[in-house]
Amino acid sequence: IRNSFAHGRLAFYLDNDEVYVAMEDIDDKKHVSARMVISKRTLLRWKTIIESGPFITSDDLESKLGWKE
């Protein structure tokens, strides 16, 4: 994920009002070493999870992600 953003190897797509990000990484020989397509919503959820740190409780995380009522 980091390399695709850092090296500009990404593209954004809109499908049914959902934004998707296509990302890839390449090795030293210019061969694709990783590729993924992920929704912007999922990417932002991962960001929240990572920034919350390893000690957040599952209840607090669910609340932060808007999964709890």
Side-chain angles (χ1 to χ4, degrees):
I1 294 172
R2 181 254 174 226
N3 284 351
S4 67
F5 276 90
H7 300 288
R9 298 192 64 88
L10 58 130
F12 296 87
Y13 299 95
L14 183 63
D15 184 45
N16 295 326
D17 295 327
E18 182 84 36
V19 176
Y20 291 91
V21 186
M23 299 179 256
E24 68 180 14
D25 188 29
I26 56 172
D27 62 20
D28 295 338
K29 297 176 184 173
K30 306 292 186 207
H31 297 120
V32 174
S33 58
R35 184 178 286 150
M36 68 189 297
V37 177
I38 188 170
S39 72
K40 178 182 171 187
R41 179 186 330 212
T42 298
L43 189 60
L44 292 174
R45 285 179 180 162
W46 286 3
K47 177 181 178 283
T48 299
I49 292 167
I50 292 167
E51 289 179 342
S52 296
F55 303 110
I56 191 168
T57 66
S58 59
D59 286 339
D60 288 344
L61 184 57
E62 287 178 7
S63 178
K64 206 172 211 185
L65 292 170
W67 293 352
K68 262 194 168 174
E69 298 173 9

